[in-house]
Amino acid sequence: DPAAYTLDLAYDARGAGTLSGSERIEFVNRGPAALDRVWLRLWGNGPDGCRPRRIHVQIEAPARAGLETVRCSALEVRLAKPVAPGAAGALSLTLAVRGRKQNDRFGHAGRVALLGNVVPVLAVEDDRGLRLPPYSAIGETFYSLSARWDATLRLPARLRAATSGAVVSDRVRGSERTVRVATAQARDFALAIGRLGVSGTRVNGVRIRVFTNGGPRVVRGASRDARRAVGTFSRRYGRYGS
């Protein structure tokens, strides 16, 4: 059961773009037995079947990398010592993700880099066992559990980043922009990076950020759709964030 993901990332816009940095994952063993290993999902390797490999991960000691499977979209991490039932554990890693040019959730839409499902997350082991489904281009195979996320992202000052979570700070110094975002509950962390305009709107007390690289008409349409979506889902599933 993941408790928190902490990210410190930098984006290099050259070529198809590269996202690199560090990640710390904290978790709790909710199972009945000691836990000596966990599995990470490296979904960035999924769209191309690891040909080429899009994400490179280095597990930091004292933990170490183990087996790799499911076309290198799943990586075993052997813990330094077993984590007892009910106890907490943690692991740290560095990562580098090379961008894709295809218009996809991990790719590019014009000059906007789309980085969906590229940050490593813990695989789920439930009462039916370890879940390591293969990547699917259509539908939802990204089985993960919610956790707290805290991310720092550095990128060229001319670019903006649409991300999961709420903006804690957004500062420009010289040629670099540093954005910090956080959220108490999310299953994953996604980014879209480009020369984006930013506007805001509210519905039912929820602040919505709208990032676009289009004109006023596009902004109005995106804001309208976002307000409708939050209103509809709040009526169906309950107040957003509760």
Side-chain angles (χ1 to χ4, degrees):
D1 188 3
Y5 292 89
T6 304
L7 305 173
D8 189 344
L9 303 173
Y11 181 72
D12 184 340
R14 290 175 294 182
T18 302
L19 184 71
S20 60
S22 64
E23 178 178 14
R24 177 177 169 82
I25 304 173
E26 300 170 47
F27 58 89
V28 177
N29 180 7
R30 304 292 186 193
L35 192 66
D36 64 356
R37 67 196 64 199
V38 295
W39 286 79
L40 296 177
R41 294 318 310 252
L42 308 183
W43 290 121
N45 287 329
D48 301 312
C50 207
R51 296 181 179 180
R53 178 185 290 270
R54 295 290 179 179
I55 177 169
H56 292 265
V57 169
Q58 181 73 41
I59 305 298
E60 295 187 0
R64 57 191 177 93
L67 300 174
E68 194 174 63
T69 187
V70 199
R71 290 193 173 184
C72 67
S73 70
L75 175 66
E76 178 190 47
V77 178
R78 298 176 183 176
L79 305 173
K81 60 180 180 180
V83 178
L91 64 97
S92 296
L93 58 92
T94 57
L95 63 100
V97 181
R98 292 188 299 157
R100 302 175 71 235
K101 294 183 178 180
Q102 292 86 342
N103 190 346
D104 197 359
R105 60 189 161 215
F106 173 27
H108 273 76
R111 295 185 177 181
V112 179
L114 305 178
L115 297 161
N117 301 117
V118 302
V119 176
V121 295
L122 283 177
V124 179
E125 185 170 1
D126 57 21
D127 56 2
R128 295 185 179 181
L130 180 63
R131 301 299 191 94
L132 297 177
Y135 178 89
S136 174
I138 301 175
E140 169 64 89
T141 61
F142 311 106
Y143 184 17
S144 58
L145 301 179
S146 294
R148 184 177 75 253
W149 290 80
D150 192 319
T152 299
L153 175 65
R154 288 177 296 280
L155 63 160
R158 69 183 186 278
L159 304 181
R160 303 295 291 264
T163 72
S164 306
V167 175
V168 177
S169 62
D170 186 344
R171 300 174 181 173
V172 174
R173 290 185 178 178
S175 62
E176 183 177 81
R177 179 186 300 276
T178 301
V179 183
R180 186 184 165 210
V181 295
T183 179
Q185 290 286 324
R187 290 180 50 225
D188 202 344
F189 187 83
L191 309 93
I193 300 174
R195 294 195 176 192
L196 302 170
V198 185
S199 60
T201 186
R202 283 185 178 273
V203 59
N204 297 343
V206 178
R207 181 173 180 268
I208 300 170
R209 292 173 294 153
V210 179
F211 293 78
T212 70
N213 61 353
R217 184 176 179 181
V218 174
V219 174
R220 288 194 298 270
S223 297
R224 180 189 63 244
D225 292 345
R227 290 195 302 271
R228 287 177 176 174
V230 171
T232 298
F233 294 143
S234 294
R235 289 191 299 272
R236 291 180 179 178
Y237 305 117
R239 184 178 177 83
Y240 182 84
S242 62

